[in-house]
Amino acid sequence: MVTPRLSTRLANFQASQALEAAGIHPLLARLWAARGVCHPGETLLAWGALIPPGQLTHIQRAAGILADAIHARKRLLIVADYDCDGATACAVGMRALRSMGAVVDFLVPNRFETGYGLSPAVVELALRHPAGKPDILVTVDNGIASVDGVHAATLAGIDVVITDHHLPGDILPQALAIVNPNQPGCGFPSKNLAGVGVIFYLMLALRAELRQRGVYPKDGGPRLDNLADLVALGTVADVVKLDANNRVLVTQGLQKMRAGRMQPGVRALFAVAGREPRQASGFDLGFALGPRINAAGRLADMSIGINCLITDDEGQALELARQLDGMNQERRGIETTMREEALAAIEASSPTIGASVCVYHPEWHQGVVGLVASRLKETYWRPTLAFARSDSGELRGSGRSIPDVHLRDVLDLVSKRYPGIILKFGGHAMAAGLTLREEAYGAFIGGFDAAVIELSGKASFDPVIETDGSLESGYANAEVAGLLQQQVWGAGFPAPIFRDTFHVRQQRLLKDKHLKLNLERGNQRFDAIWFNHADMLPEYADVAYRLDQNVWNGMVSAQLIIEYACAPAS
């Protein structure tokens, strides 16, 4: 489909030397410096390195409102989002607020009934909540676009505090307080907090407020660091950029998991996924635990995921985790069918692909279209939208993009050029959601493609695999592979990929679809595997690879995971 181009990340020798001089392993110093880490202080991933909460706009006001509400025994209701970030954010809010004496419950909108965010329909549900009419709604991972929802709540006599991280529209809701690092004028240095990070910060500010009021002694109150596992899980699963501040949050969460200190639900998710918490990594959070939580929001009701994360009963946590695991298996089957149908439709409709990809089938599952868009984006390396029909007959779409194209900006341009086609939309640079009138789909496809070309200046795109160049032979071993696995890598701070030329000594197919190799460089031999690739390599190959550990019969050796390989340039 698309052929990647290999490039080498620019080195920063000065920063690398400064890090090495501070006692950091020379390879880590080189890798971190190439990812923008300039000072040894940026490698300190202890709680003390966290940016203080005070620079978040409205955070003191929001903390004061919540402190007053706790004192007055007002009813709080958390309005969550139906993805992993929203579920973990809700769990952080529930656990922290309850530990500080709040009367609090939660409500999570259903993807298929009310759709995303605090809408007037969700306010209606809040009014009929089994816990009684709330006095204050606290949004987590949503709300910045809920102008109508906040207005409906206000008319119903309910106050609203918004915590969110999504990009704002032209008009902000009239809430009592909005805590969002991405709102205009907010001076918080990190704009990359996930929804769970924002509510965690508000809970830190609330505890500080209660200390100031004398409710707790100077260093007293609940241990909020015990929620770090939830913060790490939501942050990694939402694929926000892992800047220095987010790396602190994720590192602290992983350390808790590795030490066996985590919520019963997180422990249960590790168990059903067959992963070992003592070796917890960002990969586990993003590809094992996160998808199981997300499956509830995609196929059923995210309250199952939230209840798994807020229960203190180990047995109930395991039962809910098993339900989530079953849903995730079902989701995989649905996704595979939809992806195959989408690929067949694309191949049948046009011999050439435009600047974008749009697919729609009336029978597709609304909860899985985002995953299909993600897979097609990887296949064609184009901004991709996948649509399904909702019960109301509108089309609900979910999109994924590539670094060259800011998806929300493209949708914003389409909505201005073709008023009325898009009923609503929202999102980020790399992911967005939207609703269309079904009859407008044809016009939308052309408008979307034109907007992609206009904003990017390109009609076609090639993926680039950015490598860290050659791996020094002295570091090509299992010990260094283990060191790399212990670090926090992810969005905006990618795991290292090295690039070297190897002599292909042996190669064979594994299960008819994976290429198993023995590679030689100098006097070193390595086992290597290229997953989902069945074509043999030439005798010498230019290989982009990750250094991994292979554990077999108690023996640990270095293994190369191939990302891409081709004949060396002559």
Side-chain angles (χ1 to χ4, degrees):
M1 301 287 182
V2 288
T3 303
R5 187 167 54 80
L6 298 181
S7 75
T8 301
R9 197 173 269 109
L10 286 174
N12 184 336
F13 296 112
Q14 203 174 348
S16 180
Q17 285 175 327
L19 297 176
E20 210 177 316
I24 289 160
H25 186 285
L27 178 60
L28 283 181
R30 172 165 86 82
L31 297 172
W32 285 347
R35 284 156 179 75
V37 177
C38 296
H39 306 290
E42 293 174 69
T43 69
L44 300 175
L45 299 173
W47 283 116
L50 203 66
I51 300 167
Q55 290 168 282
L56 276 163
T57 301
H58 288 187
I59 198 162
Q60 255 75 46
R61 186 191 305 176
I65 291 164
L66 294 179
D68 291 344
I70 291 169
H71 180 72
R73 306 295 294 158
K74 287 186 175 179
R75 283 200 187 105
L76 304 178
L77 186 67
I78 295 174
V79 178
D81 183 20
Y82 43 64
D83 67 357
C84 186
D85 186 18
T88 51
C90 184
V92 164
M94 288 290 293
R95 285 184 171 278
L97 285 166
R98 281 179 175 170
S99 72
M100 290 186 258
V103 180
V104 61
D105 213 316
F106 75 89
L107 168 66
V108 59
N110 187 299
R111 181 189 294 263
F112 312 106
E113 291 164 12
T114 56
Y116 170 79
L118 177 62
S119 60
V122 170
V123 173
E124 282 298 314
L125 293 176
L127 290 168
R128 302 197 302 272
H129 196 277
K133 178 188 171 183
D135 299 300
I136 301 176
L137 299 178
V138 180
T139 71
V140 293
D141 193 31
N142 76 93
I144 195 66
S146 300
V147 176
D148 294 343
V150 171
H151 182 63
T154 306
L155 290 178
I158 304 173
D159 289 326
V160 182
V161 171
I162 289 170
T163 76
D164 199 355
H165 70 124
H166 293 91
L167 299 172
D170 297 332
I171 304 169
L172 294 179
Q174 294 295 304
L176 286 185
I178 299 175
V179 185
N180 180 340
N182 288 304
Q183 68 178 307
C186 182
F188 193 73
S190 168
K191 302 300 179 186
N192 302 304
L193 283 174
V196 69
V198 179
I199 187 68
F200 181 68
Y201 262 92
L202 178 54
M203 294 301 98
L204 292 174
L206 172 58
R207 184 180 63 181
E209 176 70 19
L210 293 174
R211 286 170 177 171
Q212 207 172 343
R213 294 183 182 198
V215 176
Y216 299 128
K218 185 168 167 288
D219 289 324
R223 287 290 300 270
L224 297 178
D225 61 323
N226 289 335
L227 303 175
D229 58 336
L230 295 170
V231 180
L233 174 54
T235 299
V236 172
D238 216 46
V239 204
V240 290
K241 183 180 179 183
L242 292 187
D243 60 14
N245 203 58
N246 278 339
R247 291 201 302 279
V248 172
L249 294 172
V250 174
T251 299
Q252 290 299 322
L254 288 172
Q255 285 177 358
K256 286 267 193 277
M257 294 172 198
R258 291 169 188 163
R261 297 199 302 276
M262 66 203 101
Q263 319 309 319
V266 174
R267 184 179 291 111
L269 286 165
F270 269 103
V272 299
R275 311 294 293 188
E276 174 51 72
R278 282 173 298 188
Q279 271 93 50
S281 69
F283 181 88
D284 293 323
L285 306 187
F287 293 93
L289 275 65
R292 284 167 171 81
I293 296 275
N294 276 327
R298 293 189 187 286
L299 299 192
D301 178 359
M302 186 46 101
S303 59
I304 299 167
I306 294 168
N307 282 319
C308 180
L309 298 176
I310 64 175
T311 182
D312 289 323
D313 182 317
E314 302 272 354
Q316 188 189 15
L318 191 56
E319 171 53 36
L320 290 167
R322 284 184 178 132
Q323 285 184 42
L324 293 170
D325 188 49
M327 286 179 201
N328 193 48
Q329 288 173 20
E330 184 187 347
R331 183 272 306 167
R332 280 185 189 143
I334 294 168
E335 182 191 341
T336 300
T337 303
M338 285 169 58
R339 188 171 75 242
E340 287 169 354
E341 289 173 353
L343 287 167
I346 292 166
E347 298 300 326
S349 66
S350 172
T352 57
I353 301 287
S356 62
V357 173
C358 288
V359 288
Y360 163 58
H361 193 293
E363 301 302 317
W364 280 350
H365 195 295
Q366 284 179 61
V368 186
V369 285
L371 297 172
V372 171
S374 183
R375 302 286 188 197
L376 295 177
K377 179 262 294 184
E378 291 296 330
T379 302
Y380 296 105
W381 204 250
R382 299 283 190 277
T384 301
L385 296 170
F387 291 89
R389 186 187 281 151
S390 70
D391 292 341
S392 62
E394 297 164 349
L395 301 194
R396 294 231 176 112
S398 185
R400 301 291 184 271
S401 197
I402 55 177
D404 288 309
V405 181
H406 192 300
L407 193 53
R408 191 193 172 279
D409 286 356
V410 171
L411 294 176
D412 191 40
L413 181 59
V414 176
S415 73
K416 289 181 168 87
R417 289 272 160 82
Y418 302 89
I421 279 190
I422 300 178
L423 298 173
K424 58 181 179 179
F425 70 96
H428 299 285
M430 301 296 275
L434 71 159
T435 305
L436 294 180
R437 298 197 322 274
E438 188 168 17
E439 65 274 16
Y441 178 68
F444 172 81
I445 294 174
F448 181 68
D449 205 67
V452 167
I453 294 169
E454 183 174 339
L455 286 183
S456 68
K458 297 179 181 178
S460 65
F461 308 90
D462 293 313
V464 175
I465 296 177
E466 208 169 8
T467 76
D468 291 284
S470 178
L471 174 61
E472 299 87 338
S473 58
Y475 301 143
N477 58 54
E479 186 185 1
V480 171
L483 175 71
L484 294 178
Q485 280 179 352
Q486 288 291 305
Q487 311 310 313
V488 171
W489 312 101
F493 203 78
I497 295 174
F498 302 103
R499 178 185 183 181
D500 285 291
T501 300
F502 292 93
H503 187 183
V504 179
R505 285 297 190 182
Q506 293 172 349
Q507 53 185 326
R508 62 185 173 85
L509 272 184
L510 200 63
K511 298 180 182 173
D512 292 329
K513 62 177 183 176
H514 310 304
L515 193 58
K516 191 96 171 70
L517 307 109
N518 187 265
L519 303 177
E520 183 178 63
R521 182 178 65 142
N523 59 0
Q524 289 182 299
R525 296 278 283 260
F526 301 95
D527 285 327
I529 189 161
W530 191 351
F531 290 110
N532 299 309
H533 181 88
D535 297 329
M536 296 290 175
L537 292 182
E539 186 181 0
Y540 288 90
D542 187 6
V543 181
Y545 62 93
R546 288 185 290 115
L547 182 67
D548 196 25
Q549 283 187 332
N550 186 32
V551 183
W552 179 254
N553 285 343
M555 297 289 289
V556 183
S557 60
Q559 175 180 251
L560 311 184
I561 309 289
I562 297 177
E563 296 289 330
Y564 183 69
C566 59
S570 51

